[in-house]
Each structure stands twice: as structure tokens, then as C-alpha cells.
Amino acid sequence: MGRATYVLATAAVLSAIWMGLTARVDAASFLVGFVVSALILSLIGTRERATAQLSRLPRQLFNLIVYIVLSFIAITRASFDVARRVLDPKLPLKPGIVAVPTQDEEQDEIIAALSAHAITITPGQLAVGFDGAKTMYIHCLDIESVATAEQEQAARLKRLRAILGKA
Amino acid sequence: MLLRELLGLAALFFGVTFSVIGVVGMLRLPDVYTRLHASGKVSTLGLWGILLGAALLLEGAFPRALALAVFLVLVQPIASHAIAAAARCSGVPMALSFRDDMPPLETPSATPEQP
């Protein structure tokens, strides 16, 4: 995918978001969003070339939708979990900071950042710090709940790589 | 029409309840890190409820509510992480700690890796 295609495709998505934000769905609104996003995108250099290929796109989109649905469930569970702990008269907490490796051989920063984002919306966990892109330090409300954190991270890594078109 | 209003009111009630629980959490939990769980997670669901209620009750508010909901879930974990990292860097201790794998900062000049 060339740079021009990348800029135009991203501008199209951004102008759709712009129309949603302004709640005005017409050609003029789209055009304003498109021109401004294309201008800004052409000024910002992308750090690496886009890895998207048209043949992989359906699978990437499918993985993205699965990821969004799973994230939605995780957010709802997280909120109910924290609400239950907060409203419990005994305040059942066992907090601590636990190191979880990202398990990514390439140590891609985007993968580390997205993993931390996903962890922060899963039940009772909050990313506090990083050691490069190698290890994440996670604050947990209940350190018993991170017994499975490494397996969850392995599954998450696989899904994120599939979304980014690297696997 | 009536059903839509009822659903909207139910969503509003749900959202407000969760926001109140978030505030209760802020008051009851002992330190910065645990409080971030309450403020971040619980209020995400609370705001979703309020936005859903607004989308159902107000005409033409749906696209804006959807955009705000997506924006919120993208940005809220980043804000929580930024506050937690800042607290950690300035040496705020955990009030209650059963385990701490994170190495303390050796040099005072060390800057946080993630802003």
C-alpha cells in the first residue's frame, strides 16, 4: 500500500468520525473533514510503512470486531467487579504490582501500548509502568486474579498481531 | 415512543447509579492506585449509561453519543495509566501492598518512559 493510498484511506475514516462528532451527515461536512485530515496526515510522517494488504483485510476486520466485542464484555465485567468490591462492607482488597511480560519477540511498541490499553480495561488491573516494550507492571485490586495473566496476555498478543496484519 | 422513553430513563438511572458507585469507591478505597480503578472503570460504564440514555431521549444525539462513547473508552485507560505512572514516579506508596514487582527508580533524574 503506497503512502498516498494510506493517507487517503485514513482521511476517509477520519472524516466519517468527524461527521459523527458534528452530527452533520452531508457532502460538505465530509469534504471539510476529508481535506483537513488529508492535509494533517500528509504533514505527519508515519513511523513505518502501513502493513495493510487487501487480501488480509477481511481477516483483520473480523479480528477487530471480535476484539471490540470481547473488550466490551471485559469493560462491563470490570465495572461490575470493582463496584462489587467497593460496595462490600468488608472491602475485599489484596492489591499489588505484578510484572507481566509482553511475550512479544519483536518488542513492538504499538503492541505493548495496545496490550497495556487492553489490560487497563480488563477486570481489576491497571498498567502502571513499562520496562521498554518487554515487561508491563500492572497494579491489581486482587493479586490472586493475575494467576492467569500470562495466558491471557499470550491470547491477547495473538489477537493484536492478527489485527495489525502481522500473523 | 413511550417504550423509547422508558428505556432511555432506565439507561440514565443505570448510568447515574454507576457514577455514584464510582464516587463511593473514590471515598472508600485507601490510595491513589486503587482509587484509579474506581474512578476509571466504574465511571466508564456509568458514562456509557448516561450517553445511551441521552441517545434514546434526545433527537439526533445518537451519532454524537456513539462517538463520545468510543472516544471515552480509547482515552480513559490512557488517563488512568498516566496518573498511576506519575504517582509511581513521584514515589507515592501503596497504602496496602501484598506484592511489588516494580523496581524503584534508581536515579532521581530518571524520566517516565510513557508520558
Side-chain angles (χ1 to χ4, degrees):
Chain A
M1 197 189 246
R3 176 148 171 77
T5 330
Y6 169 77
V7 167
L8 291 181
T10 316
V13 174
L14 285 178
S15 40
I17 296 172
W18 164 249
M19 285 198 297
L21 273 175
T22 52
R24 269 185 60 197
V25 184
D26 53 25
S29 167
F30 182 83
L31 204 68
V32 169
F34 191 82
V35 169
V36 173
S37 350
L39 201 72
I40 293 175
L41 277 169
S42 58
L43 290 178
I44 304 172
T46 40
R47 203 158 50 88
E48 48 194 314
R49 63 191 176 78
T51 48
Q53 280 177 19
L54 222 53
S55 58
R56 281 179 180 166
L57 212 56
R59 236 185 59 154
Q60 280 177 271
L61 279 178
F62 172 74
N63 275 299
L64 182 65
I65 291 166
V66 170
Y67 183 71
I68 290 173
V69 171
L70 287 177
S71 300
F72 184 80
I73 297 170
I75 292 166
T76 314
R77 270 185 54 208
S79 300
F80 276 99
D81 180 64
V82 176
R84 188 178 52 77
R85 284 176 198 280
V86 163
L87 294 180
D88 194 309
K90 290 200 293 286
L91 210 60
L93 295 175
K94 205 174 174 194
I97 292 182
V98 180
V100 175
T102 54
Q103 304 172 15
D104 185 17
E105 295 90 11
E106 293 170 29
Q107 305 206 348
D108 191 334
E109 284 181 355
I110 295 174
I111 296 238
L114 286 176
S115 301
H117 181 271
I119 277 177
T120 306
I121 55 178
T122 49
Q125 298 175 13
L126 168 67
V128 174
F130 294 89
D131 179 10
K134 206 167 60 206
T135 315
M136 296 176 289
Y137 298 105
I138 294 165
H139 182 270
C140 311
L141 276 185
D142 185 353
I143 57 171
E144 310 291 329
S145 73
V146 291
T148 56
E150 294 203 6
Q151 293 149 25
E152 282 171 27
Q153 174 59 20
R156 194 179 294 126
L157 179 67
K158 217 170 136 194
R159 212 174 297 123
L160 285 173
R161 288 181 70 86
I163 291 172
L164 293 175
K166 290 192 174 178
Chain B
M1 197 62 212
L2 186 67
L3 180 69
R4 191 173 146 159
E5 278 177 11
L6 273 178
L7 280 176
L9 286 175
L12 270 185
F13 184 73
F14 177 80
V16 171
T17 310
F18 258 85
S19 300
V20 170
I21 292 174
V23 174
V24 172
M26 286 286 281
L27 293 173
R28 287 197 70 195
L29 291 171
D31 63 0
V32 184
Y33 306 101
T34 46
R35 279 177 177 175
L36 277 173
H37 287 277
S39 73
K41 300 201 161 123
V42 180
S43 61
T44 304
L45 203 62
L47 273 169
W48 274 2
I50 293 172
L51 285 171
L52 182 64
L56 287 169
L57 290 174
L58 301 174
E59 289 294 324
F62 181 73
R64 218 173 287 198
L66 184 69
L68 276 174
V70 172
F71 182 72
L72 182 74
V73 77
L74 286 178
V75 165
Q76 183 276 317
I78 300 171
S80 287
H81 163 69
I83 298 172
R88 183 75 196 186
C89 282
S90 38
V92 179
M94 285 189 278
L96 197 65
S97 172
F98 288 84
R99 184 170 163 185
D100 192 351
D101 290 352
M102 193 171 174
L105 294 173
E106 292 91 1
T107 49
S109 63
T111 47
E113 286 147 13
Q114 298 287 322

